[in-house]
Amino acid sequence: MSLETSAARAAILARLRQHSPAFQDDLSAPEQPLPVTRLDDSESLLERFRAEVERLNVIFQHVADAEGALDALLSVVRAENASSALLWRQLPLHGVPEALESIGVQPILPQVQGAARHDIYRALNDVPLGISGADAAFATTGTLVLASGSGQGRLPSLLPPTHVVLLPQARLFARPEDWLLAHGAQTLQRARSVTFVTGPSRTGDIEMQIILGVHGPKRLYIIVFD
Amino acid sequence: MELKANAFPQAAIIALKDIQLQTALARGTTNASNARLRAMSEVTDAEALRRQARAAKLRALRNLPALLEQFEANITQRGATVLWAEDAEACNRLVIEVARRHAVQRIVKSKSMATEETGLNRALEAAGLEVIETDLGEYIVQLDGDSPSHIVMPIIHKTREQVRDLFVEKLGMTPSDDPEVLTAFARQKLREAFLSAQMGITGANFLIAETGTVAIVTNEGNGRMCSSLPPVYVVIAGIEKVVERVADFATLVQLLPRSATGQRMTSYVHLISGAAQPDEPDGPAFMYVILLDNGRSRIRGTRYAESLACIRCGACLNVCPVYQNVGGHAYGWVYSGPIGAVITPLLKGVANAAPLPHASSLCGACQAACPVMINIPDMLLRLRADLVAEGEAPPGLSAGIAAWARLMSSPFLYELSGAVARLATRAMAGSDGQVRRLPVPLLGNWTENRDFPPFAAKPFRQLWRERQRGQ
Ligand code: SF4
């Protein structure tokens, strides 16, 4: 057996090139697609974002500056009784690892590429808290954008039951399409993994009753700072 | 999954008598439909957006070969391996081969209709590999040896008590029928699987050609686990999933959750454009994308090409009076509801799914709900015509049409038949005025599960004559 599929590839493409379906519709691509969500010009983006995420059971805080953000973060860590936390090296806030250490919380920067991956997962699985930044956020849907990259791993937002996101207010966009049209293509070409996070992990599979925290985080905190 | 679409009439009767199923279907479909209506009422212009979404999908279908090549070139450049599969068997074989190459034993899998279609799990197990479904509903279905009955709500047909009994019997759980407890129990079991698996498999909701990106949409986050934790990540995507630009994706990724569950955005939308880079702290070291044809390129060349625009939101199932009453299993294959009644005959041959094009009242609710405005009623009618052309018309239809033609061409016969029907049905009606059972061979089946209204006491023609005479 082999992974050589060029014959299948050629056959499929040849069949597709044989005829092109003739649809009756006007299929010209709009230069500026129609925006999906209604949004009042007078509406404050931050207030809209807050309303959307709170509807999704997110715990939202808005603080004035970086110092306030650090304080807010530490009080979340204390409230969650965490003794360690997974975090991004590349956070939008300076001094997080030092601040955690100062209150006796061990900061962990996971590094799992390579053979020992499964052992490391096991060792990290009980860490109660993950801390990350966000590359962007969308007000009308209450969404955070987490791009992977050097110093921005997937694990802090994946394994722990609680995830805290530090979001500089300037990264707030009105709608998903605003960010996707302006920065989407470029971000997708740069980052191998980009995740839109909208509220905590949830399921409605059993009798449509909504349960939070099936696989990913059960609790999501967002700290917005200027 | 074994094809049992020709048993639709029998399966439907069993479903109609299943009280538990009827309750579950009514709750599930009504909730989802109401949520969709609410979510679609908040958008700028629902009709214009549906046209925009439809145009994006149809444009991609028209340019499919070029877009697939563009997608392939872009993602290959970032270290992913793109493989092409002509059919289900080839696809399953490729997955097994990838597993062997990387010495994989345990696989975690996220919900994917394409792999239901190829029967991947069975093939993997036959090859000695362990595969674990990680979507809560799919996990339950797998444990139970059952199959999903809705594209979006796989266990819409199961009650919490059934889930409890299953977990107690198969996994030794301390009994509880609280969904919170059941979910927490499954979380712990599945976490174990995520941490130890060597391969993750997901489907794809969209492939973006412009950037070479795979988009997967989930609420539970299991798709993200499968695509982030194991060292090997395999995507299986139908070739019709490709869209041209990020801008097209921007519209579609918002109409999908609004139509499916009424959410403005699902909890997670994961966009993966290749295996992890060496300087990243985590992520898969290898990524494969299998592009599956399995009949799609053939369908694209027919007048049913539009059916390939489906984004699998499930809205047409939720509004369909037939689905609402019989549920997904009666359709006898992976795809159910109105779109299933179109896709199953197209993929498996119309003679092998002959009842499905008739499992519709052609009320048009499906098309009205569809975010990409697929003309399902029209395709069902064409499939019925194809069935007649293949000599597969339902029994009695041809004889019935001949008799009807004679009746309609003779005013006397027409009036006489009306008078007979009027008297007969009044005589048969119960105290509530409904006819419980018609003693006519063909129509007898029809009243097995429904009532028949008696004919009006005075026919329209008589009322009209009386009116003309000033009575
Ligand atoms: S046919 Fe339309 S409504 Fe039905 S599942 Fe597909 S996209 Fe949704």
Side-chain angles (χ1 to χ4, degrees):
Chain A
M1 269 201 279
S2 85
L3 293 180
E4 175 52 51
T5 60
S6 55
R9 179 183 190 278
I12 293 168
L13 287 173
R15 260 198 311 280
L16 292 174
R17 291 218 152 91
Q18 230 163 34
H19 12 219
S20 181
F23 297 115
Q24 302 304 311
D25 306 59
D26 169 21
L27 298 186
S28 51
E31 226 6 91
Q32 200 56 45
L34 184 68
V36 175
T37 328
R38 275 201 298 266
L39 184 71
D40 253 324
D41 283 344
S42 61
E43 221 174 322
S44 143
L45 284 191
L46 189 62
E47 280 315 306
R48 176 70 181 262
F49 182 66
R50 172 205 290 268
E52 288 297 327
V53 297
E54 285 184 344
R55 231 168 43 91
L56 299 165
N57 299 79
V58 171
I59 304 153
F60 175 94
Q61 283 187 69
H62 176 219
V63 294
D65 50 21
E67 204 179 318
L70 210 48
D71 287 344
L73 174 65
L74 292 184
S75 55
V76 171
V77 175
R78 282 198 203 93
E80 290 284 330
N81 248 324
S83 57
S84 59
L86 302 183
L87 50 141
W88 279 6
R89 185 163 44 75
Q90 212 74 268
L91 284 171
L93 193 61
H94 286 296
V96 173
E98 297 77 8
L100 290 174
E101 275 170 341
S102 76
I103 59 163
V105 176
Q106 186 199 354
I108 304 171
L109 301 152
Q111 183 69 43
V112 301
Q113 290 284 24
R117 162 190 307 260
H118 293 106
D119 299 332
I120 300 173
Y121 288 160
R122 252 176 228 295
L124 298 180
N125 192 39
D126 291 329
V127 176
L129 195 90
I131 303 169
S132 79
D135 296 77
F138 314 144
T140 57
T141 54
T143 301
L144 301 158
V145 180
L146 273 60
S148 76
S150 158
Q152 300 198 169
R154 298 156 178 82
L155 294 186
S157 60
L158 204 60
L159 291 182
T162 302
H163 177 203
V164 189
V165 177
L166 299 163
L167 174 69
Q169 195 179 335
R171 298 186 187 173
L172 187 56
F173 287 73
R175 304 180 176 93
E177 55 269 45
D178 297 333
W179 180 82
L180 278 165
L181 291 172
H183 305 280
Q186 173 203 336
T187 309
L188 292 172
Q189 270 145 3
R190 168 178 61 79
R192 296 296 162 84
S193 158
V194 175
T195 309
F196 294 176
V197 176
T198 308
S201 157
R202 60 187 238 155
T203 184
D205 274 352
I206 302 174
E207 295 193 356
M208 295 199 87
Q209 187 173 320
I210 299 299
I211 309 287
L212 301 182
V214 205
H215 295 303
K218 208 181 175 76
R219 278 177 304 282
L220 179 61
Y221 290 85
I222 301 177
I223 300 170
V224 179
F225 60 100
D226 292 336
Chain B
M1 194 176 159
E2 198 191 331
L3 178 67
K4 291 190 209 111
N6 275 338
F8 179 87
Q10 295 80 349
I13 288 169
I14 295 170
L16 285 167
K17 291 181 177 153
D18 183 339
I19 308 274
Q20 251 176 18
L21 177 68
Q22 292 299 317
T23 316
L25 284 171
R27 176 180 50 218
T29 56
T30 313
N31 277 0
S33 286
N34 289 341
R36 174 181 55 83
L37 288 172
R38 221 174 315 127
M40 288 305 287
S41 72
E42 308 168 342
V43 299
T44 49
D45 181 343
E47 287 310 292
L49 283 166
R50 288 168 70 216
R51 273 198 302 277
Q52 185 167 298
R54 174 180 171 83
K57 281 296 290 186
L58 295 186
R59 203 166 52 239
L61 284 175
R62 194 183 55 193
N63 303 336
L64 200 51
L67 294 180
L68 287 168
E69 285 176 325
Q70 189 187 359
F71 168 82
E72 178 187 42
N74 279 330
I75 198 161
T76 305
Q77 196 202 325
R78 288 192 225 95
T81 306
V82 175
L83 303 169
W84 301 67
E86 281 270 34
D87 54 24
E89 214 200 309
C91 173
N92 296 347
R93 230 183 307 120
L94 287 170
V95 181
I96 293 166
E97 177 61 18
V98 171
R100 297 232 161 100
R101 270 195 194 199
H102 296 283
V104 169
Q105 312 232 293
R106 174 176 275 193
I107 302 169
V108 281
K109 187 166 163 287
S110 165
K111 187 176 149 55
S112 140
M113 297 309 290
T115 62
E116 294 284 344
E117 193 183 313
T118 66
L120 178 66
N121 288 2
R122 226 171 346 150
L124 293 176
E125 279 160 9
L129 295 158
E130 183 191 7
V131 54
I132 301 152
E133 289 286 350
T134 60
D135 173 275
L136 179 60
E138 298 279 338
Y139 177 62
I140 290 166
V141 154
Q142 189 189 25
L143 267 182
D144 204 16
D146 192 3
S147 57
S149 70
H150 189 286
I151 312 178
V152 177
M153 304 177 275
I155 55 163
I156 186 175
H157 60 287
K158 275 193 172 11
T159 63
R160 60 176 77 193
E161 291 81 11
Q162 288 171 319
V163 177
R164 171 201 63 201
D165 294 348
L166 182 71
F167 281 7
V168 170
E169 187 202 321
K170 298 266 161 110
L171 304 170
M173 188 189 76
T174 319
S176 163
D177 52 21
D178 180 353
E180 183 97 43
V181 176
L182 293 165
T183 305
F185 181 79
R187 173 185 169 111
Q188 184 210 327
K189 289 274 168 203
L190 288 167
R191 180 56 72 97
E192 196 45 46
F194 285 129
L195 297 183
S196 55
Q198 297 94 15
M199 181 194 269
I201 299 178
T202 74
N205 293 92
F206 306 100
L207 306 173
I208 307 171
E210 179 185 358
T211 54
T213 301
V214 174
I216 53 176
V217 168
T218 72
N219 273 320
E220 299 183 358
N222 58 318
R224 213 180 146 220
M225 294 268 176
C226 292
S227 56
S228 301
L229 293 173
V232 183
Y233 171 43
V234 178
V235 182
I236 297 166
I239 53 172
E240 85 285 13
K241 294 290 174 200
V242 74
V243 296
E244 186 183 350
R245 305 165 310 156
V246 173
D248 300 322
F249 166 76
T251 306
L252 289 163
V253 76
Q254 296 189 75
L255 289 202
L256 172 58
R258 281 177 191 271
S259 306
T261 54
Q263 289 170 283
R264 290 163 194 165
M265 193 68 95
T266 48
S267 303
Y268 300 101
V269 176
H270 198 192
L271 301 159
I272 311 127
S273 309
Q277 281 162 297
D279 66 336
E280 289 190 66
D282 50 24
F286 304 93
M287 178 175 178
Y288 296 84
V289 181
I290 302 178
L291 298 174
L292 172 70
D293 185 338
N294 206 28
R296 289 162 171 78
S297 61
R298 177 177 47 75
I299 294 170
R300 180 173 167 277
T302 68
R303 49 206 184 130
Y304 300 103
E306 186 183 329
S307 66
L308 297 170
C310 172
I311 57 172
R312 309 276 188 261
C313 73
C316 59
L317 281 62
N318 301 330
V319 297
C320 176
V322 177
Y323 181 90
Q324 284 168 355
N325 281 288
V326 304
H329 286 158
Y331 290 81
W333 201 50
V334 177
Y335 301 106
S336 60
I339 192 65
V342 173
I343 292 181
T344 305
L346 290 177
L347 286 175
K348 301 302 244 183
V350 66
N352 298 317
L356 297 191
H358 295 281
S360 164
S361 61
L362 302 178
C363 70
C366 47
Q367 187 183 9
C370 177
V372 287
M373 301 172 147
I374 297 180
N375 195 341
I376 297 175
D378 190 52
M379 284 190 282
L380 288 172
L381 272 175
R382 288 189 204 167
L383 284 166
R384 291 182 189 181
D386 290 354
L387 274 168
V388 174
E390 286 191 22
E392 293 279 352
L397 182 63
S398 326
I401 287 173
W404 184 74
R406 276 197 41 216
L407 208 61
M408 292 310 278
S409 52
S410 154
F412 172 72
L413 279 179
Y414 179 78
E415 285 213 23
L416 180 67
S417 67
V420 171
R422 214 151 43 239
L423 290 172
T425 53
R426 301 240 136 227
M428 286 183 288
S431 55
D432 58 356
Q434 294 291 311
V435 179
R436 293 273 173 256
R437 196 167 172 84
L438 282 175
V440 187
L442 283 169
L443 294 176
N445 280 337
W446 197 81
T447 51
E448 186 107 9
N449 295 289
R450 343 170 162 65
D451 298 335
F452 188 88
F455 280 64
K458 283 184 183 179
F460 174 77
R461 286 162 62 94
Q462 189 183 337
L463 282 174
W464 181 254
R465 275 195 301 262
E466 285 173 5
R467 213 192 141 99
Q468 295 293 10
R469 287 201 295 269
Q471 283 179 2

